[in-house]
C-alpha cells in the first residue's frame, strides 16, 4: 500500500507540474495520468473510464448546453443592452458590470456570461475614454464569484456535491451553496467596487485610438482590359503577387455591383475593381508585379461612363428623368463591410495554426485583417501568423455569417465596427425552460443531472440550440479532464494518500481552533486552483476534506464547502481560470498584475466565507 501511495503522489506531482508548465493541454495530461495509474494496477481497468458516466460529468455537459440555449435566447443580451446606460463614472461601471456578470454566472457557464459582457465593457471603456483594463479584470473576478452561488454555477460545486453523497445520504442541493456563495459574492462585488483603483491601469499604446486603425490601408485597384489576368481566377492574381506582397482582397466591384468576400475561384474581367487591404509597401510591390492600376481616378471615369450610358438608354426609352442611379459611392461600399474584433479562446481551432493553413476564406468565409498580441498589432504577414490563445483578431465576414463563423472557430466577439451581434429574442421561452429545470431540482423531484439533461433536450427540440451546435456547446476538454481526474482522486483515497495529507493538516491545526483548520484547507485549495484547473483542484482536495473530517470526528459538510469556495476563487494568476485568461490580452495585463486586485480579494473571501460556513454548516 505504501508503494501505491508513492506512485500516486509521484503521478500527481508530475501531473501538477505539467499543468503549470502548460505545454500540453490539461485534458491530455489528465488522460496520461489516468493511464499510468491504471497500467500499474492502482485503478482497476474496468473502472478507468467510469468517470465518463459520473453524474458530475453529465451535469457539467448539460449546463454547457443550457448556457448556449440561454445565450441564443437573448436572456443575457437583454440585460447587457441596458448596461450601456449606467453613465461614465468608473466605480458605477465596475459595480454594475461586476454585479450583473456575477448574477448570470450563478445560473450559467461563467465563461459564457463573461463572453457576453466583454463587448459591453470594451464599448463602455472606449466611450468613456479609458482603457478596458479598468473593467475587464473586475468583470472576470465577478464571474468567478458568481459561480459560487448555485450547484450549477461552476464545475467544482458539481464535483463537491457528488463527493458529499459518499458521506451523507444525499448530495448538496441546487441552492445549498447559496448562503455562503451569496455572502462572498455580495461582499466581493462591493469590495471590487470600492477598491477598483487597485486594478492595473494598462493604457493603450495608441492612446484613445482603437487597437486597429485600418482606414489608411483601404485601396481600390482596377484590372485593365488588356491585363494578362483577365480570364484568370482571383487566386491566380493573389499567388502572382507573391509572398512579399501582403494584400487582402475585400470586395469585387463589377458592372456597378458590389460583391463582398469574392471567391478565390471567381474569374476576373477587364475593368473589374478590387477593394484591397494593404500597407503602402505591400501595395507598391503588388502593383509592380501585377501591373494593376489604382482605381481612384479610373473608378470615377467608370462611374461617369456608366452614368452616361444609363442616360443614353433612358433617353432612348423616353424616361431619362426616372432612370435610377444604381451606382454606389465609395462610402456606401465601405459601410456595407461587416467588421468585428474577436478574441481567440484556449479551445479555438485557430490555436497553433495560421489563416492560410485553415483556408479561412474558403471554409468559413472569413478574412483576417489584423492580429494583435499583448496589446500590440503584429506586423508580420497575416498568412504566416500562428495564432495563440488570447490573440485579438480584426476580421471580416458577411454580416449574416459572422456569428456562425466565430462559433465554429471558437472565438468570442470582443467589439464590433458597425455590426451588432445579437441572439434571437426568445427570452421567455429559454428562461421558462431553464426555470422549470431548476424547479425540478429544487423540489427534489429528480436528480440534478436528469433535470438539466431534460432541460437541454427541450432547448434542442424547440430550436434554441441548433443540432449542429450541440457538441460545439460542450467544452470536451473540461469533460475529459473531470472524467480522467475522478478515478485518480479515488486512487488518492483508496491508497491512503488523502488520509496522509489530512493527518498532516491535523498536526498543523491541532493547537488551533476548527476555524483555523478550515481556513488552512481553503487557502491551500485556493493556491492550488491558481496554477491548475479548478475542477482538478476540487477532485484532488475533496478526498482530503473527507479524510480530514473523519480525523476531526466532525461533519464533512463545512470542509467540502471550503474546498468548493477555494477551488472557485482563483484570483492571483491569469492561468487559474479561463475567465482570467480571456481578459488578459484585451486588458493588456501582465502575469503579475492579477495579484494586485486578486490578493486583497482572496483575503476578503477567506475572512467572509469561513465564519459563514461555520454558521450554516457547523463542524
Amino acid at each position: 500500500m505504501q508503494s501505491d501511495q508513492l506512485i500516486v503522489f509521484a503521478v500527481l506531482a508530475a501531473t501538477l507540474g505539467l499543468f503549470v508548465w502548460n505545454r500540453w493541454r490539461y485534458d491530455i495530461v489528465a488522460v496520461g495520468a489516468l493511464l499510468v495509474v491504471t497500467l500499474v494496477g492502482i485503478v482497476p481497468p474496468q473502472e478507468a473510464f467510469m468517470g465518463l458516466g459520473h453524474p458530475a460529468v453529465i451535469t457539467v455537459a448539460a449546463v454547457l448546453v443550457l448556457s448556449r440555449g440561454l445565450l441564443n435566447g437573448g436572456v443575457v443580451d437583454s440585460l447587457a443592452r441596458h448596461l450601456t446606460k449606467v453613465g461614465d463614472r468608473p466605480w458605477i461601471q465596475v459595480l454594475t458590470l461586476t454585479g450583473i456578470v456575477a448574477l448570470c454566472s450563478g445560473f450559467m457557464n461563467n465563461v459564457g456570461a463573461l463572453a457576453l459582457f466583454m463587448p459591453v465593457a470594451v464599448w463602455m471603456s472606449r466611450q468613456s475614454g479609458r482603457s478596458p483594463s479598468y473593467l475587464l479584470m473586475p468583470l472576470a473576478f465577478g464571474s468567478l464569484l458568481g459561480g459560487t452561488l448555485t450547484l450549477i454555477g461552476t464545475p467544482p460545486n458539481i464535483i463537491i456535491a457528488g463527493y458529499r453523497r459518499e458521506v451523507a445520504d444525499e448530495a448538496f442541493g441546487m441552492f445549498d451553496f447559496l448562503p455562503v456563495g451569496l455572502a462572498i459574492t455580495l461582499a466581493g462585488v462591493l469590495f471590487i467596487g470600492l477598491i477598483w483603483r487597485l486594478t492595473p491601469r494598462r493604457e493603450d499604446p495608441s492612446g484613445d485610438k482603437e487597437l486597429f486603425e485600418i482606414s489608411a490601408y483601404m485601396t481600390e485597384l482596377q484590372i485593365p482590359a488588356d491585363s494578362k489576368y483577365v480570364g484568370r481566377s482571383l487566386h491566380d492574381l493573389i499567388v502572382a503577387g507573391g509572398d512579399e506582397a501582403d494584400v487582402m482582397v475585400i470586395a469585387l466591384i463589377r458592372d456597378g455591383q458590389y460583391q463582398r468576400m469574392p471567391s478565390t475561384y471567381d474569374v476576373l474581367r477587364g475593368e473589374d475593381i478590387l477593394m484591397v487591404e494593404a500597407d503602402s509597401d505591400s501595395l507598391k510591390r503588388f502593383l509592380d508585379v501585377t501591373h494593376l492600376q489604382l482605381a481612384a481616378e479610373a473608378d470615377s471615369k467608370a462611374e461617369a461612363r456608366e452614368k452616361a450610358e444609363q442616360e443614353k438608354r433612358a433617353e432612348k426609352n423616353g424616361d431619362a428623368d426616372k432612370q435610377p442611379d444604381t451606382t454606389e459611392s465609395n462610402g456606401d461600399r465601405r459601410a456595407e463591410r461587416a467588421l468585428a474584433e474577436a478574441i481567440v479562446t484556449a479551445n479555438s481551432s485557430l490555436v497553433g495554426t495560421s489563416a492560410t493553413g485553415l483556408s479561412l476564406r474558403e471554409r468559413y468565409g472569413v478574412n483576417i485583417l489584423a492580429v494583435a498580441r499583448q496589446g500590440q498589432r503584429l506586423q508580420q504577414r497575416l498568412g504566416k501568423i500562428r495564432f495563440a490563445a488570447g490573440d485579438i483578431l480584426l476580421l471580416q465576414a458577411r454580416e449574416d455569417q459572422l456569428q456562425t463563423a466565430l462559433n465554429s472557430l471558437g472565438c468570442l466577439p470582443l467589439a464590433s465596427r458597425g455590426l451588432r451581434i445579437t441572439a434571437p429574442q426568445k427570452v421567455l421561452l429559454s428562461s421558462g425552460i431553464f426555470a422549470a429545470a431548476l424547479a425540478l431540482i429544487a423540489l427534489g423531484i429528480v436528480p440534478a443531472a436528469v433535470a438539466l439533461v431534460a432541460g437541454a433536450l427541450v432547448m434542442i427540440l424547440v430550436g434554441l440550440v441548433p443540432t449542429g451546435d450541440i457538441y460545439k456547446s460542450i467544452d470536451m476538454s473540461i469533460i475529459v479532464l473531470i472524467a480522467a481526474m475522478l478515478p485518480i482522486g479515488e486512487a488518492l483515497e483508496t491508497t491512503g494518500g488523502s488520509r496522509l495529507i489530512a493527518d498532516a493538516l491535523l498536526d498543523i491545526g491541532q493547537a488551533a481552533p476548527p476555524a483555523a483548520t478550515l481556513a488552512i484547507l481553503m487557502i491551500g485549495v485556493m493556491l492550488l486552483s491558481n496554477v491548475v484547473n479548478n475542477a482538478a483542484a476540487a477532485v484532488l482536495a475533496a478526498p482530503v476534506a473527507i479524510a480530514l473530517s473523519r480525523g476531526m470526528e466532525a461533519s464533512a459538510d463545512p470542509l467540502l464547502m471550503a474546498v468548493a469556495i477555494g477551488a472557485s476563487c482563483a484570483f492571483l494568476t491569469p492561468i487559474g481560470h479561463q475567465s482570467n485568461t480571456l481578459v488578459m490580452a484585451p486588458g493588456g495585463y501582465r502575469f503579475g498584475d492579477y495579484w494586485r486586485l486578486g490578493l486583497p480579494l482572496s483575503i476578503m473571501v477567506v475572512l467572509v466565507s469561513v465564519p459563514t460556513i461555520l454558521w450554516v454548516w457547523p463542524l
Side-chain angles (χ1 to χ4, degrees), residues 422-454:
T422 56
Q425 298 304 306
K426 298 181 179 178
V427 177
L428 292 179
L429 179 60
S430 56
S431 301
I433 295 171
F434 187 63
L438 296 186
L440 291 175
I441 299 171
L443 296 175
I445 299 175
V446 293
V450 175
L452 295 171
V453 169

Side-chain angles (χ1 to χ4, degrees), residues 1 4-5 8 42-43 487-498 543:
M1 183 65 71
D4 288 346
Q5 282 183 4
V8 170
I42 297 176
V43 173
I488 297 175
E490 184 70 21
L492 184 66
E493 185 173 7
T494 56
T495 59
S498 58

Side-chain angles (χ1 to χ4, degrees), residues 14-16 18-19 24-34 488:
T15 301
L16 294 178
L18 290 172
F19 280 155
W24 296 318
R25 212 169 62 185
Y26 48 74
D27 53 329
I28 297 174
V29 173
V31 170
L34 175 60
I488 297 175

Side-chain angles (χ1 to χ4, degrees), residues 77-158:
D77 188 59
S78 62
L79 294 174
R81 286 198 301 272
H82 295 290
L83 290 178
T84 58
K85 306 174 183 177
V86 300
D88 292 338
R89 293 185 179 180
W91 69 272
I92 294 180
Q93 291 179 343
V94 169
L95 198 62
T96 305
L97 275 170
T98 306
I100 292 294
V101 79
L103 176 64
C104 294
S105 297
F107 298 94
M108 63 182 297
N109 176 256
N110 45 19
V111 176
L114 174 69
L116 260 291
F117 289 99
M118 277 178 64
V120 180
V122 172
W123 181 88
M124 291 171 68
S125 298
R126 289 175 175 172
Q127 290 295 110
S128 303
R130 287 185 290 268
S131 168
S133 63
Y134 283 84
L135 296 179
L136 291 182
M137 188 179 289
L139 196 68
F141 289 173
S143 73
L144 300 186
L145 289 168
T148 64
L149 290 172
T150 67
L151 169 69
I152 64 174
T154 184
N157 287 5
I158 298 172

Side-chain angles (χ1 to χ4, degrees), residues 345-596:
T345 67
N347 300 315
S348 171
S349 58
L350 293 174
V351 174
T353 63
S354 65
T356 302
L358 282 178
S359 302
L360 291 181
R361 172 179 284 197
E362 286 77 8
R363 294 175 59 188
Y364 301 98
V366 169
N367 276 336
I368 303 294
L369 305 182
V371 181
R373 184 172 295 165
Q374 296 180 351
Q376 298 290 333
R377 178 174 174 173
L378 301 184
Q379 299 300 322
Q380 65 194 93
R381 290 195 68 244
L382 294 174
K384 302 286 187 179
I385 295 174
R386 290 194 172 274
F387 302 111
D391 283 353
I392 301 175
L393 311 179
L394 177 64
L395 50 86
Q396 180 200 47
R398 286 179 51 184
E399 185 170 340
D400 56 347
Q401 294 180 352
L402 182 55
Q403 186 62 62
T404 301
L406 290 177
N407 292 339
S408 300
L409 294 172
C411 296
L412 298 175
L414 180 62
S416 60
R417 298 167 182 260
L419 173 66
R420 184 178 181 184
I421 303 173
T422 56
Q425 298 304 306
K426 298 181 179 178
V427 177
L428 292 179
L429 179 60
S430 56
S431 301
I433 295 171
F434 187 63
L438 296 186
L440 291 175
I441 299 171
L443 296 175
I445 299 175
V446 293
V450 175
L452 295 171
V453 169
L457 180 61
V458 174
M459 283 195 172
I460 294 168
L461 293 177
V462 300
L464 285 169
V465 180
T467 53
D469 290 345
I470 297 173
Y471 298 105
K472 294 178 184 178
S473 307
I474 301 173
D475 187 347
M476 289 305 300
S477 61
I478 292 294
I479 299 301
V480 173
L481 171 71
I482 298 174
M485 292 301 295
L486 283 171
I488 297 175
E490 184 70 21
L492 184 66
E493 185 173 7
T494 56
T495 59
S498 58
R499 179 67 191 179
L500 192 64
I501 299 173
D503 288 342
L505 288 175
L506 282 173
D507 291 339
I508 294 173
Q510 202 165 27
T517 304
L518 196 69
I520 292 171
L521 177 64
M522 182 182 296
I523 292 170
V525 178
M526 193 178 289
L527 293 174
L528 181 63
S529 70
N530 274 284
V531 294
V532 304
N533 181 275
N534 58 3
V539 170
L540 295 177
V544 175
I546 293 174
L548 185 59
S549 69
R550 290 168 179 162
M552 297 173 65
E553 297 182 350
S555 170
D557 289 347
L559 297 167
L560 287 173
M561 196 62 65
V563 170
I565 298 299
S568 299
C569 295
F571 304 126
L572 301 180
T573 69
I575 62 174
H577 194 277
Q578 194 176 356
S579 291
N580 294 352
T581 306
L582 283 176
V583 301
M584 187 175 184
Y589 304 123
R590 304 188 185 104
F591 193 97
D593 285 341
Y594 285 76
W595 69 269
R596 292 173 55 182

Side-chain angles (χ1 to χ4, degrees), residues 96-358:
T96 305
L97 275 170
T98 306
I100 292 294
V101 79
L103 176 64
C104 294
S105 297
F107 298 94
M108 63 182 297
N109 176 256
N110 45 19
V111 176
L114 174 69
L116 260 291
F117 289 99
M118 277 178 64
V120 180
V122 172
W123 181 88
M124 291 171 68
S125 298
R126 289 175 175 172
Q127 290 295 110
S128 303
R130 287 185 290 268
S131 168
S133 63
Y134 283 84
L135 296 179
L136 291 182
M137 188 179 289
L139 196 68
F141 289 173
S143 73
L144 300 186
L145 289 168
T148 64
L149 290 172
T150 67
L151 169 69
I152 64 174
T154 184
N157 287 5
I158 298 172
I159 293 168
I160 294 302
Y163 273 100
R164 201 247 190 173
R165 189 181 287 109
E166 297 181 9
V167 293
D169 295 334
E170 58 183 1
F172 282 127
M174 179 69 189
F175 297 106
D176 285 344
F177 296 89
L178 186 61
V180 181
L182 184 61
I184 65 171
T185 299
L186 289 176
V189 169
L190 291 173
F191 190 71
I192 292 172
L194 291 174
I195 66 166
W196 64 271
R197 288 181 176 82
L198 293 179
T199 305
R201 302 180 184 182
R202 298 299 179 207
E203 300 297 341
D204 294 334
S206 55
D208 293 335
K209 296 181 180 179
E210 293 185 351
L211 183 60
F212 301 114
E213 291 289 342
I214 64 169
S215 58
Y217 302 95
M218 183 69 69
T219 311
E220 292 183 4
L221 305 179
Q222 187 178 64
I223 300 180
D226 58 349
S227 172
K228 64 180 180 180
Y229 298 103
V230 172
R232 296 172 64 180
S233 69
L234 178 60
H235 178 266
D236 291 339
L237 176 66
I238 296 173
V239 171
D243 291 340
E244 297 302 319
D246 190 9
V247 173
M248 178 72 67
V249 178
I250 305 302
L252 170 65
I253 304 165
R254 176 179 294 163
D255 298 330
Q257 299 297 316
Y258 181 82
Q259 179 184 345
R260 291 175 294 183
M261 301 290 296
S263 168
T264 54
Y265 303 106
D266 279 354
V267 176
L268 300 174
R269 302 177 188 175
E271 309 297 324
D272 279 353
I273 295 177
L274 300 177
M275 183 175 287
V276 301
E277 293 278 0
D279 60 81
S280 57
D281 292 337
S282 292
L283 180 63
K284 184 178 184 302
R285 286 191 291 266
F286 188 79
L287 291 175
D288 289 342
V289 172
T290 63
H291 303 291
L292 301 190
Q293 300 175 353
L294 290 173
E297 295 182 4
D299 186 58
S300 299
K301 295 177 181 178
E303 289 184 1
R305 287 196 302 269
E306 184 177 354
K307 186 174 181 179
E309 291 174 359
Q310 289 178 348
E311 291 176 352
K312 289 180 180 178
R313 289 194 297 267
E315 183 178 355
K316 183 178 179 180
N317 296 330
D319 197 19
D321 293 336
K322 297 181 181 179
Q323 181 67 25
D325 184 1
T326 59
T327 60
E328 298 176 292
S329 68
N330 291 345
D332 291 337
R333 292 170 186 160
R334 296 183 184 182
E336 291 182 3
R337 291 178 295 123
L339 301 177
E341 293 172 19
I343 185 169
V344 179
T345 67
N347 300 315
S348 171
S349 58
L350 293 174
V351 174
T353 63
S354 65
T356 302
L358 282 178

